[in-house]
């Protein structure tokens, strides 16, 4: 039986434990995020294989996330996160073994990517509940800023750096490290206090709770606008990410071992964005900063594809990170404030389904589009769509 929550806030020992679990698991995620597409690219040299693995990685947000959110609202979030971390440790350990045995076919890579993201849908929704409960309402903006910072340091900086060092020693080492980080993260999580679920979250039928979570998104105007913005952007970003390794190697002429460094540059931009957006929002307004971040992201995508020069690409990637983090901090805070607390797990999962569940479309289209035109075309199309989305949603975002 776990202990109950005491004092809330981002400076408490409990929130530091949660942050430790985030950073540790996200380091492993960052290693795998780089190593899985890079291993696919190096071992197959096929845009279609790269696209297939990218689709498998994001598909659970479409087919698993909704029931995961319902179950998170029924279960103890600490137990959900700890179990998800332990399960992913086992799966990544098996993936490392498959790479060592030279049996990691495209089908195996797709299966591993799907299962790992499926478990992540549970951990993500439960972690959102823990974030809101442990930080308290007064520290919510800072809590989201710290989460994005932890995500950036772990997933986008430390993880890719480790992948860069380990991949060329042996790709399996990347997945073995991923497994270890999940074990350590689970040890942090089991030390967290229990979060009591509100009475309204008492189990009903699975169908009724699925409908309730999704219905809340469409009933609240501000959430509808956020879902539309994130959904379009996620489709474009999925296509961009699916082709990043191939574009870097084939077009920019970047040696394979240096591809992870582009993700590191992106992480540095994200660190700036995570700190900058909460400071700009009170001065310029939340909506203008959010719209500006979306527009900047689209321009950066387009420049990356239009000017295939390494110095320009490095600058564009920096702004990928800055704009994405700036948007993520403010949009997450707005979503959490608009969501009734008893529905946090369901609404978070429904939001992920509608925001990220469309990502397989972007990843799936990127390969054929690149094969039929060029790799740079993927970035030009994605950039144009994101800029148009920012312009179209500027007024709705200001009204919510």
């Amino acid at each position: 039986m776990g202990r109950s929550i005491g004092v809330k806030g981002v400076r408490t020992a409990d929130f530091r434990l949660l942050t430790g679990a985030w950073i540790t698991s996200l380091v492993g995620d960052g290693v795998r995020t780089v190593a899985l597409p890079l291993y696919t690219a190096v071992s197959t040299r096929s845009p279609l294989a790269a696209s297939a693995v990218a689709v498998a990685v994001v598909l659970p947000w479409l087919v698993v996330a909704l029931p995961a959110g319902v179950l998170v609202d029924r279960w103890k979030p600490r137990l959900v996160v700890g179990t998800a971390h332990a399960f992913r440790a086992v799966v990544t350990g098996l993936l490392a073994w498959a790479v060592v045995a030279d049996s990691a076919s495209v089908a195996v890579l797709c299966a591993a990517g799907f299962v790992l993201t499926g478990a992540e849908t549970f951990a993500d929704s439960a972690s959102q509940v823990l974030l809101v409960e442990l930080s308290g309402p007064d520290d919510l903006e800072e809590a989201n800023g710290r989460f994005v910072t932890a995500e950036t340091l772990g997933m986008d900086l430390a993880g890719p750096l480790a992948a860069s060092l380990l991949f060329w020693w042996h790709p399996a080492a990347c997945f073995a490290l991923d497994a270890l980080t999940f074990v350590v993260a689970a040890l942090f999580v089991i030390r967290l206090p229990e979060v009591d679920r509100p009475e309204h979250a008492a189990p009903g039928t699975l169908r009724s709770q699925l409908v309730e979570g999704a219905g809340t998104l469409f009933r609240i105007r501000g959430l509808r606008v956020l879902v539309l913005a994130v959904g379009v952007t996620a489709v474009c970003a999925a296509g961009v990410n699916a082709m990043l390794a191939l574009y870097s190697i084939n077009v920019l002429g970047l040696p394979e071992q240096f591809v992870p460094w582009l993700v590191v540059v992106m992480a540095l931009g994200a660190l700036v964005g995570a700190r900058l957006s909460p400071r700009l929002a009170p001065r310029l307004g939340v909506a203008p900063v959010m719209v500006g971040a979306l527009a900047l992201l689209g321009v950066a995508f387009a420049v990356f594809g239009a000017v295939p020069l390494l110095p320009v690409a490095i600058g564009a990637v920096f702004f990928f990170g800055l704009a994405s983090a700036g948007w993520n901090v403010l949009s997450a805070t707005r979503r959490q404030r608009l969501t009734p607390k008893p529905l946090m797990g369901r609404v978070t999962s429904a939001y992920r389904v509608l925001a990220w569940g469309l990502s397989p479309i972007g990843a799936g289209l990127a390969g054929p589009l690149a094969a039929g035109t060029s790799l740079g075309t993927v970035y030009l199309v994605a950039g144009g769509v994101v800029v148009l989305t920012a312009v179209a949603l500027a007024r709705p975002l200001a009204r919510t």
Side-chain angles (χ1 to χ4, degrees), residues 28-128:
D29 284 340
V31 171
R32 188 182 67 259
T33 298
V34 170
L36 188 58
L38 185 56
Y39 182 76
T40 303
V42 170
S43 60
T44 68
R45 299 285 178 173
S46 168
L48 295 179
S51 184
V53 173
V55 169
V57 168
V58 296
L59 188 59
W61 292 111
L62 182 62
V63 299
V64 179
L66 271 178
V70 172
L71 294 174
V72 165
D73 278 338
R74 296 180 178 187
W75 298 339
K76 298 290 186 181
R78 182 177 70 111
L79 176 63
V80 173
V81 177
T83 302
H85 286 338
F87 176 76
R88 288 189 286 175
V90 173
V91 173
T92 47
L94 292 174
L95 179 58
W97 177 84
V99 171
V100 170
D102 198 25
S103 58
S105 63
V106 174
V108 169
L109 297 175
C110 288
F114 180 89
V115 170
L116 289 168
T117 305
E120 184 183 351
T121 65
F122 284 87
D124 179 76
S125 293
S127 292
Q128 290 290 307

Side-chain angles (χ1 to χ4, degrees), residues 139-167:
D139 284 355
L140 196 53
E141 286 87 358
E142 187 174 353
N144 281 295
R146 292 193 180 200
F147 173 75
V148 172
T149 299
E151 185 176 40
T152 301
L153 289 172
M155 190 168 182
D156 299 331
L157 190 59
L161 283 172
S164 181
L165 294 174
L166 292 174
F167 191 89

Side-chain angles (χ1 to χ4, degrees), residues 60-73 118 120-126 128-129 209-210 213-214 217 227 335 339 343-357:
W61 292 111
L62 182 62
V63 299
V64 179
L66 271 178
V70 172
L71 294 174
V72 165
D73 278 338
E120 184 183 351
T121 65
F122 284 87
D124 179 76
S125 293
Q128 290 290 307
V129 176
Q209 293 202 335
L210 286 173
L217 281 179
V227 165
R335 172 175 52 79
T339 300
L343 304 178
M344 189 65 67
R346 278 164 283 175
V347 170
T348 297
S349 290
Y351 180 85
R352 296 289 196 245
V353 167
L354 296 175
W356 295 353

Side-chain angles (χ1 to χ4, degrees), residues 126-138:
S127 292
Q128 290 290 307
V129 176
L130 290 172
L131 181 151
V132 172
E133 293 295 334
L134 294 178
S135 67
D138 294 338

Side-chain angles (χ1 to χ4, degrees), residues 22-359:
W22 284 340
I23 292 177
T24 307
S25 63
L26 288 166
V27 167
D29 284 340
V31 171
R32 188 182 67 259
T33 298
V34 170
L36 188 58
L38 185 56
Y39 182 76
T40 303
V42 170
S43 60
T44 68
R45 299 285 178 173
S46 168
L48 295 179
S51 184
V53 173
V55 169
V57 168
V58 296
L59 188 59
W61 292 111
L62 182 62
V63 299
V64 179
L66 271 178
V70 172
L71 294 174
V72 165
D73 278 338
R74 296 180 178 187
W75 298 339
K76 298 290 186 181
R78 182 177 70 111
L79 176 63
V80 173
V81 177
T83 302
H85 286 338
F87 176 76
R88 288 189 286 175
V90 173
V91 173
T92 47
L94 292 174
L95 179 58
W97 177 84
V99 171
V100 170
D102 198 25
S103 58
S105 63
V106 174
V108 169
L109 297 175
C110 288
F114 180 89
V115 170
L116 289 168
T117 305
E120 184 183 351
T121 65
F122 284 87
D124 179 76
S125 293
S127 292
Q128 290 290 307
V129 176
L130 290 172
L131 181 151
V132 172
E133 293 295 334
L134 294 178
S135 67
D138 294 338
D139 284 355
L140 196 53
E141 286 87 358
E142 187 174 353
N144 281 295
R146 292 193 180 200
F147 173 75
V148 172
T149 299
E151 185 176 40
T152 301
L153 289 172
M155 190 168 182
D156 299 331
L157 190 59
L161 283 172
S164 181
L165 294 174
L166 292 174
F167 191 89
W168 297 107
W169 173 42
H170 200 297
C174 295
F175 304 114
L177 176 60
D178 194 12
L180 179 61
T181 61
F182 284 131
V183 172
V184 175
L187 295 177
F188 277 113
V189 171
I190 62 176
R191 297 172 59 194
L192 289 172
E194 294 284 11
V195 172
D196 294 326
R197 306 305 291 138
E199 290 299 322
H200 182 67
T205 66
L206 179 63
R207 180 178 179 180
S208 67
Q209 293 202 335
L210 286 173
V211 171
E212 186 177 19
T216 301
L217 281 179
F218 291 99
R219 188 169 59 252
I220 299 175
R221 176 182 173 85
L223 292 177
R224 291 199 305 269
V225 175
L226 287 179
V227 165
L228 180 57
V230 177
V232 173
T233 305
V235 169
C236 296
V240 164
N241 292 333
M243 296 297 108
L244 183 61
L246 282 174
Y247 183 89
S248 301
I249 295 168
N250 295 347
V251 178
L252 297 178
L254 193 64
E256 294 166 352
Q257 63 268 33
F258 293 121
V259 171
W261 286 91
L262 287 180
V263 183
V264 172
V265 173
M266 195 183 306
L268 295 176
L271 289 175
V272 175
R275 293 182 63 84
L276 189 61
S277 61
R279 297 181 181 184
L280 289 178
R283 301 177 185 178
L284 305 178
V286 174
V289 175
M290 293 173 73
V291 172
L294 277 183
L296 178 60
L297 181 63
V299 170
F301 283 168
V303 169
F304 187 83
V307 187
L309 299 174
L310 186 58
V312 175
I314 291 172
V317 165
F318 179 86
F319 285 106
F320 287 6
L322 187 150
S324 297
W327 166 267
N328 287 340
V329 169
L330 297 179
S331 63
T333 301
R334 179 173 285 194
R335 172 175 52 79
Q336 291 158 357
R337 290 195 183 282
L338 291 171
T339 300
K341 289 177 69 174
L343 304 178
M344 189 65 67
R346 278 164 283 175
V347 170
T348 297
S349 290
Y351 180 85
R352 296 289 196 245
V353 167
L354 296 175
W356 295 353
L358 298 177
S359 294

